[in-house]
Amino acid sequence: MVTVSRATRLSISNEVDLVRARQEVRVQAQALGFSLVDQTRITTAVSELIRNMMKYAGGGTMEIEGVRNGIRAGLRIICHDKGPGIPDIGLAMKEGYSTSNGLGYGLPGTKRLVDEFDIWSEVGKGTRVTISKWR
Amino acid sequence: MEKIPIIKVGDTLLVSIQTDLQDQIAMTMQTDLLGRIEQTSARGVIIDISVVDIVDSFLGRVLSETASMARIMNAVVVVVGIQPSVAITLVELGLELKQIPTALNVERGLQLLRERIAWEDHAVADDAESRELGREEERARNGHG
C-alpha cells in the first residue's frame, strides 16, 4: 500500500523551468535522505524526461510526490504533456533506438536510472511518464 | 545573458563550468571557446566540471561536440573534475563520452595536454620526415633512371 504525501506541481515551458525543476527534484531527494548517486540519478532522469517534453510537445507539467510504502520512503515524479504522443512505445523503449546524438527519446537510458518506470502515450493526446526511486 | 569566463594560462585555455547552467549558456561557451582558440592559437583546452552535479544528454553532447570542434581547429580538449556520481549516472544513461580525454583535476589535465600535444607534434614531425625521405628516394630513383 503506497501512500502519497505532499505533491509539488511545476509547469514546464522553457529552459529556466527545466533548471528549476531539476533543482526542486534534487532538494526533495536530499530531504528524503537519498545518497548523492541516487540524487544525481533521479535528477538526471527528470532532466531527460523534461527535455523530451520540451522537444516533442513544447512543454508540459511535472509533479513530484513523496511516497511511502511501509517503511520505505521514495520519490515519484510524473511528467505529463499534451503533445503528439509516441506512435510506437515499443520502439521508443528499445535499446539502441535512441542514440546519444539526440535522436529518439532516450527512454531506455532514463529507465535504467530509476526503480520504476511507467509510460502511457496516445497519438494526438499526449504522453505521461511516471518514475519512482525508493530509498 | 551571463557568460562562462575563458581564462588563458600560457598556451592553454581554461574554462570552468558552473552547475545548473542553461542550455543557451553552454552553447555560447562553445562558440566563445572556438573563437578564443582562433584568436590565441591555443593548442590545449581544459574544461573543468568539478562543480557540475548533473550532466544530462544535452550537456554530454555539448562537451563531446566542443571537443570535436576544437580538434578540427588543432586544439585538444580535456574535461576534468567529473564527480563520481556524475560518472556513474553517465554510464548508466548510456553516455560514456569515450571520445573525450578526461583527467581527475586541472593539474592532471595540464599534464595530459602536454603529453598529447608533444605526441601529436612528434607524429607530425615523423610524417614530414618520412615524406622527405620518400622524396629523396624518388630523386635517387629518377637520378639513376
Side-chain angles (χ1 to χ4, degrees):
Chain A
M1 176 66 200
V2 175
T3 53
V4 177
S5 59
R6 66 197 180 115
T8 316
R9 188 186 168 96
L10 295 173
S11 135
I12 309 285
S13 57
N14 58 42
E15 282 182 35
V16 180
D17 297 335
L18 166 66
V19 172
R20 213 185 41 228
R22 287 199 312 221
Q23 283 167 342
E24 182 63 35
V25 169
R26 189 175 282 273
V27 165
Q28 295 211 18
Q30 255 166 351
L32 276 171
F34 276 104
S35 70
L36 182 59
V37 177
D38 277 345
Q39 287 172 35
T40 308
R41 283 185 177 120
I42 196 156
T43 309
T44 308
V46 166
S47 189
E48 295 298 307
L49 293 178
I50 291 179
R51 285 192 181 284
N52 279 345
M53 275 195 330
M54 284 166 42
K55 182 172 163 186
Y56 295 103
T61 57
M62 178 188 80
E63 282 171 82
I64 313 172
E65 299 172 338
V67 286
R68 183 165 279 284
N69 189 355
I71 53 161
R72 291 187 85 191
L75 213 52
R76 181 159 67 196
I77 291 141
I78 302 149
C79 290
H80 186 200
D81 69 59
K82 294 185 167 65
I86 301 172
D88 187 343
I89 291 182
L91 183 64
M93 291 305 298
K94 214 163 82 183
E95 201 62 58
Y97 166 70
S98 127
T99 58
S100 53
N101 63 10
L103 302 165
Y105 306 94
L107 296 174
T110 305
K111 188 180 177 182
R112 276 195 297 273
L113 298 176
V114 294
D115 296 327
E116 287 163 27
F117 181 102
D118 180 68
I119 182 163
W120 167 91
S121 186
E122 205 174 309
V123 172
K125 287 254 174 75
T127 301
R128 189 178 58 240
V129 180
T130 307
I131 55 176
S132 310
K133 192 94 189 154
W134 296 96
R135 202 184 55 212
Chain B
M1 175 79 182
E2 53 182 311
K3 277 197 166 198
I4 297 174
I6 300 167
I7 301 154
K8 186 170 177 291
V9 185
D11 56 358
T12 305
L13 297 174
L14 181 62
V15 187
S16 290
I17 297 188
Q18 70 268 35
T19 195
D20 260 334
L21 71 166
Q22 284 171 39
D23 297 1
Q24 198 44 55
I25 297 170
M27 297 310 292
T28 307
M29 179 279 291
Q30 185 177 70
T31 324
D32 287 354
L33 179 61
L34 296 169
R36 287 294 295 276
I37 291 172
E38 185 192 26
Q39 275 171 10
T40 61
S41 312
R43 295 292 309 280
V45 177
I46 290 201
I47 300 180
D48 181 6
I49 63 167
S50 52
V51 297
V52 174
D53 53 18
I54 163 175
V55 177
D56 67 354
S57 60
F58 170 81
L59 187 54
R61 201 162 57 242
V62 171
L63 291 172
S64 290
E65 286 176 356
T66 305
S68 301
M69 292 166 183
R71 185 66 275 150
I72 292 171
M73 297 183 70
N74 196 31
V76 178
V77 170
V78 176
V79 174
V80 308
I82 299 181
Q83 295 177 17
S85 53
V86 170
I88 291 167
T89 304
L90 275 174
V91 172
E92 288 177 352
L93 192 61
L95 285 172
E96 296 180 29
L97 305 185
K98 281 188 184 126
Q99 62 285 48
I100 311 179
T102 55
L104 270 187
N105 51 41
V106 174
E107 196 184 341
R108 292 274 186 90
L110 285 167
Q111 204 179 341
L112 182 63
L113 276 178
R114 275 196 298 274
E115 287 166 12
R116 288 227 169 197
I117 292 165
W119 181 83
E120 274 185 21
D121 291 349
H122 183 73
V124 169
D126 273 0
D127 263 9
E129 202 176 323
S130 62
R131 273 201 303 275
E132 186 50 42
L133 275 174
R135 277 196 291 272
E136 272 179 28
E137 282 173 14
E138 185 82 4
R139 279 196 292 273
R141 270 201 305 276
N142 291 343
H144 297 101

